[in-house]
Amino acid sequence: MKRSRSSLVHQVTYAFKNPRKILPHLRRLARDTWFRLRTRDHVAYYRAVMKSDTARDPEGAVGSHTHRRWLALGRMQFDYLVEHGLKPECRMLEIGCGNLRAGHLFIGYLHTGNYYGIDISPDILMAAQDTIAEHGLGDKLPHLTPVRDLRFAFLPDEHFDVVHAHSVFSHSPLHVIEECFAHVGRVMKPGGWFDFTFDRTEGKEHQVLREDFYYRTETLIALASKYGLQARFMDDWERLPHKQSKIRVTRRAGAL
């Protein structure tokens, strides 16, 4: 069972076992308080978090503290989607594309112009442009767009075969996830799918510093169903070296 990281018992135990991490945690707590006071909503708050993290290290900002880990996590995401149906002719929307940890592989694999990456952070998208240049992917004409929400209002109906969100809902309160579910079906082609990861708990749902959110699987499956989406837990993802879990969503016949 994945226990609550927000509980006092967990925090005291973790601090006792990891004394070197106490000072970094206190710095993060101070930053969290400062950003909460200066921002109006969660999107603005997390945009500030990403700006701060990206300024220090773009790869660290997306959760990879070494370049080797950045490459390995990108490859894991890419290989999984290819093994589960991603084809070069697919049109793909990546929500929270970051600095293209997996995106640079998707861009190289997909036909020219078939990759669309969106992110709430303009700063990390600047880093994504650097990744495109470093990997010589400019001729694949990827689309990179900053967004303020997950309504996808600027995108056409039934356009994407695959939608992908890695380590996005793990940083999102439930109302942001619900906004995504309410609108993602419109941009998905019939027969398309939406894969997302999340931090899973089997106990009480909770959050840590408004940056990390933990949900029960059944909560997200039920919320997807509310908007005409069928969701299933991807058991085989659990065998991979990653702490998050994965759900695949498809659109019910006739739902839009």
Side-chain angles (χ1 to χ4, degrees):
M1 178 183 292
K2 299 187 178 183
R3 301 186 183 277
S4 173
R5 290 177 57 209
S6 65
S7 72
L8 181 60
V9 172
H10 171 84
Q11 293 179 19
V12 171
T13 303
Y14 187 83
F16 180 77
K17 293 181 177 178
N18 301 274
R20 294 181 180 179
K21 294 187 177 182
I22 294 175
L23 186 58
H25 177 76
L26 291 176
R27 291 196 190 104
R28 187 181 175 199
L29 179 61
R31 183 184 74 167
D32 169 78
T33 302
W34 176 247
F35 287 162
R36 284 203 209 189
L37 293 173
R38 292 174 57 88
T39 54
R40 66 189 181 277
D41 57 28
H42 182 76
V43 171
Y45 165 82
Y46 205 72
R47 186 177 287 129
V49 169
M50 288 300 295
K51 182 175 183 178
S52 173
D53 288 348
T54 303
R56 289 199 305 272
D57 175 18
E59 293 185 357
V62 297
S64 302
H65 298 294
T66 67
H67 185 62
R68 181 177 180 180
R69 183 63 174 163
W70 187 86
L71 291 171
L73 286 174
R75 172 60 62 177
M76 182 177 68
Q77 295 173 58
F78 174 79
D79 288 347
Y80 187 87
L81 257 65
V82 170
E83 291 168 4
H84 289 74
L86 183 68
K87 305 294 183 185
E89 61 270 20
C90 290
R91 285 198 193 115
M92 180 179 185
L93 171 65
E94 185 163 35
I95 301 169
C97 64
N99 70 331
L100 303 178
R101 177 172 59 182
H104 75 282
L105 298 171
F106 294 135
I107 292 167
Y109 176 75
L110 297 172
H111 290 171
T112 298
N114 277 13
Y115 177 87
Y116 292 70
I118 62 174
D119 205 290
I120 64 167
S121 171
D123 299 273
I124 202 67
L125 287 178
M126 292 294 185
Q129 293 179 5
D130 295 337
T131 300
I132 290 170
E134 290 167 7
H135 290 265
L137 295 168
D139 60 348
K140 298 303 289 282
L141 299 177
H143 304 264
L144 300 177
T145 306
V147 296
R148 65 172 64 93
D149 55 41
L150 294 181
R151 297 176 182 272
F152 317 114
F154 67 102
L155 294 172
D157 292 353
E158 299 187 346
H159 191 72
F160 295 102
D161 302 280
V162 178
V163 182
H164 183 242
H166 183 91
S167 198
V168 175
F169 291 173
S170 54
H171 302 300
S172 301
L174 201 60
H175 71 87
V176 172
I177 299 174
E178 182 166 12
E179 179 180 76
C180 179
F181 286 164
H183 298 278
V184 72
R186 179 186 64 80
V187 302
M188 292 168 60
K189 287 183 178 179
W193 73 87
F194 170 28
D195 275 15
F196 64 84
T197 63
F198 67 105
D199 280 326
R200 179 169 59 90
T201 180
E202 296 173 7
K204 182 180 179 180
E205 296 179 331
H206 61 282
Q207 54 85 19
V208 180
L209 297 181
R210 302 299 295 175
E211 291 184 30
D212 302 308
F213 292 78
Y214 291 77
Y215 296 110
R216 295 174 66 90
T217 303
E218 53 266 34
T219 296
L220 299 182
I221 289 177
L223 189 61
S225 180
K226 178 179 175 181
Y227 294 97
L229 302 170
Q230 293 178 315
R232 64 184 177 95
F233 187 79
M234 303 299 280
D235 294 282
D236 59 349
W237 174 264
E238 298 291 297
R239 296 194 292 269
L240 298 177
H242 197 277
K243 294 180 179 179
Q244 294 181 20
S245 296
K246 184 185 282 282
I247 286 176
R248 172 163 292 190
V249 167
T250 54
R251 203 180 81 191
R252 289 200 194 104
L256 183 61

